[in-house]
């Protein structure tokens, strides 16, 4: 059995780790709201973009755009992999990297080559370790993605697609289902087959198992998303009330101009979604670490008390034995 000093040092060490994980949990909880606010700010524009594209597509009888062209067979795919720059977020990074790696392996088995765009230090390090070439990379922006980042990615993949260097563009990222759960998501960005995007804060009823701080963050996220949807719906209703539109110079040319903006917006939403998911995953991982540290301190304290009691009992036994020996003399 270890001595009392060793047990006490370990208790102090675990207590120090617990303070760090608890602090990181609180910081991540605060950052969730900031990440949600950024998605809320981008939501009305994204919703309006989807509605405009749907309206134009309905009026563009058989329009042909390079970004709508579905190619068969597919010979080369551009893959956008979005991870975080930092760890300590549970399986946040490993899950999306595993999904992307499995996809690449399956496509290579079919004779399809893949160009990789890595967003986040974890993705860059992973593909470097696997000795897979990365065409474009970004770091130090995972927690606070910028529009310039999505614009650069969109410009690259659109240029490659229109020049037929790649036949498909796929993005892998963690969708923030709510403040506690993240879902590994893969979406085909090009060709544009359907206009849509994921919203953070969906299915908030699953947050009943969270602690009070996380429930507060979930409620705030849901309220912000509801407000954004309401604003976007108001704009949509107003535009519908005004009747039909005339497009200049033509429906097809307007569609060609809007599709690149839609691709850019969709990539930016994926980056924002991943940023929100990162903070949610880190909060969950740090809460689990804090709970484990609390349990470990409790266990070590019992071991310490047991060892201390044993040491006291041994000392008393020795004293009694010594006194008895003196009496016999």
């Amino acid at each position: 059995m270890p001595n009392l000093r060793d047990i006490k040092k370990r208790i102090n060490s675990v207590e120090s780790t617990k303070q760090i994980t608890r602090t990181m949990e609180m910081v991540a909880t605060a950052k969730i709201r900031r990440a949600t606010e950024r998605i809320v700010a981008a939501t009305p524009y994204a919703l309006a973009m989807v509605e405009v594209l749907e309206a134009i597509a309905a009026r563009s009888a058989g329009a042909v755009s390079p970004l709508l062209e579905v190619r068969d067979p597919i010979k080369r795919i551009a893959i956008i992999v979005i991870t975080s720059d930092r760890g300590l977020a549970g399986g946040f990074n490993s899950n999306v990297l595993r999904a992307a790696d499995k996809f690449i392996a399956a496509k290579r088995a079919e004779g399809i080559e893949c160009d990789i765009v890595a967003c986040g230090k974890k993705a860059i390090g992973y593909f470097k370790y696997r000795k897979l070439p990365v065409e474009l990379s970004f770091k130090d922006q995972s927690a606070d993605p910028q529009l310039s980042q999505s614009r650069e990615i969109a410009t690259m993949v659109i240029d490659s697609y229109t020049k037929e260097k790649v036949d498909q563009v796929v993005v892998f990222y963690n969708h923030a289902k709510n403040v506690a759960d993240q879902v590994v998501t893969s979406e085909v960005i090009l060709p544009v087959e359907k206009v849509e995007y994921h919203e953070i804060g969906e299915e908030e009823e699953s947050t009943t198992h969270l602690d009070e701080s996380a429930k507060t963050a979930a409620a705030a996220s849901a309220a912000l998303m509801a407000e954004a949807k309401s604003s976007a719906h108001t704009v949509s209703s107003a535009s519908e009330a005004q009747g039909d539109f005339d497009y200049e110079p033509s429906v097809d040319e307007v569609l060609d101009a809007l599709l690149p903006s839609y691709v850019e917006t969709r990539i930016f939403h994926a980056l924002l979604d991943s940023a929100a998911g990162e903070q949610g995953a880190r909060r969950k991982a740090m809460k689990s670490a804090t709970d484990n540290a609390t349990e470990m301190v409790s266990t070590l304290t019992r071991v310490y008390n047991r060892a201390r009691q044993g040491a006291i009992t041994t000392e008393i036994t020795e004293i009694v034995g010594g006194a008895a020996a003196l009496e016999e003399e």
Side-chain angles (χ1 to χ4, degrees):
M1 180 179 290
N3 59 46
L4 294 176
R5 181 178 299 176
D6 292 338
I7 299 175
K8 193 64 176 177
K9 286 175 64 177
R10 192 173 180 189
I11 291 175
N12 293 335
S13 176
V14 175
E15 285 283 5
S16 298
T17 302
K18 179 182 174 180
Q19 291 179 358
I20 295 172
T21 57
R22 178 58 180 166
T23 302
M24 292 184 67
E25 177 190 348
M26 295 171 64
V27 170
T29 301
K31 287 185 176 181
I32 290 174
R33 181 177 177 84
R34 159 68 177 162
T36 304
E37 288 175 348
R38 294 199 65 190
I39 295 182
V40 169
T43 295
Y45 179 82
L47 286 173
M49 177 69 73
V50 169
E51 291 173 359
V52 170
L53 282 174
E54 288 177 343
I56 294 175
R59 293 168 175 80
S60 61
V64 178
S65 169
L67 301 185
L68 297 174
E69 180 185 352
V70 179
R71 295 173 189 157
D72 189 25
I74 296 175
K75 299 179 181 179
R76 198 173 195 89
I77 300 176
I79 301 176
I80 305 170
V81 183
I82 303 174
T83 62
S84 68
D85 291 311
R86 299 167 55 205
L88 298 178
F92 179 82
N93 294 308
S94 59
N95 290 340
V96 70
L97 289 172
R98 190 180 300 114
D101 194 34
K102 185 177 180 180
F103 179 85
I104 293 172
K107 293 304 177 183
R108 284 190 166 183
E110 298 174 7
I112 301 174
E113 293 297 322
C114 298
D115 294 337
I116 301 172
V117 177
C119 300
K121 290 181 179 179
K122 296 301 179 180
I124 297 171
Y126 178 81
F127 291 117
K128 183 178 180 181
Y129 175 77
R130 296 297 301 273
K131 297 183 180 179
L132 296 174
V134 175
E135 301 296 325
L136 184 65
S137 62
F138 297 89
K139 60 182 180 179
D140 300 325
Q141 298 184 47
S142 69
D144 189 23
Q146 302 299 317
L147 186 60
S148 58
Q149 180 182 355
S150 63
R151 183 173 293 122
E152 186 173 348
I153 297 173
T155 300
M156 175 194 167
V157 297
I158 289 173
D159 182 66
S160 298
Y161 193 82
T162 53
K163 292 180 179 179
E164 299 187 5
K165 294 180 180 179
V166 298
D167 303 307
Q168 193 179 65
V169 179
V170 182
V171 60
F172 285 85
Y173 68 99
N174 280 292
H175 164 55
K177 184 177 178 181
N178 51 51
V179 297
D181 303 315
Q182 299 78 41
V183 180
V184 177
T185 304
S186 63
E187 298 175 348
V188 176
I189 300 295
L190 290 174
V192 179
E193 298 175 342
K194 56 183 178 179
V195 286
E196 63 175 0
Y197 74 99
H198 284 293
E199 297 174 1
I200 187 175
E202 296 172 351
E203 303 182 27
E204 290 294 345
E205 64 272 10
S206 63
T207 61
T208 53
H209 64 282
L210 301 179
D211 59 15
E212 291 302 321
S213 61
K215 287 180 180 179
T216 302
S221 299
L224 287 169
M225 288 304 303
E227 181 181 350
K229 289 180 182 179
S230 176
S231 300
H233 179 70
T234 301
V235 173
S236 174
S237 300
S239 62
E240 290 176 359
Q242 294 174 4
D244 205 350
F245 292 93
D246 292 328
Y247 297 95
E248 293 293 342
S250 68
V251 172
D252 294 348
E253 291 184 59
V254 172
L255 185 63
D256 288 338
L258 284 180
L259 282 174
S261 296
Y262 169 73
V263 173
E264 179 183 314
T265 301
R266 196 164 177 185
I267 293 174
F268 187 52
H269 244 276
L271 291 168
L272 292 176
D273 204 347
S274 178
E278 176 188 348
Q279 301 305 329
R282 183 166 291 114
R283 190 213 67 83
K284 187 176 181 179
M286 291 301 99
K287 183 180 187 305
S288 178
T290 302
D291 293 342
N292 290 339
T294 301
E295 183 178 351
M296 184 176 291
V297 168
S298 178
T299 301
L300 288 173
T301 300
R302 286 197 298 270
V303 173
Y304 177 84
N305 290 336
R306 192 178 299 116
R308 182 168 175 270
Q309 183 178 5
I312 294 173
T313 302
T314 300
E315 290 179 2
I316 292 175
T317 302
E318 291 175 351
I319 292 173
V320 171
L326 291 175
E327 290 178 357
E328 290 178 357
E329 292 178 357

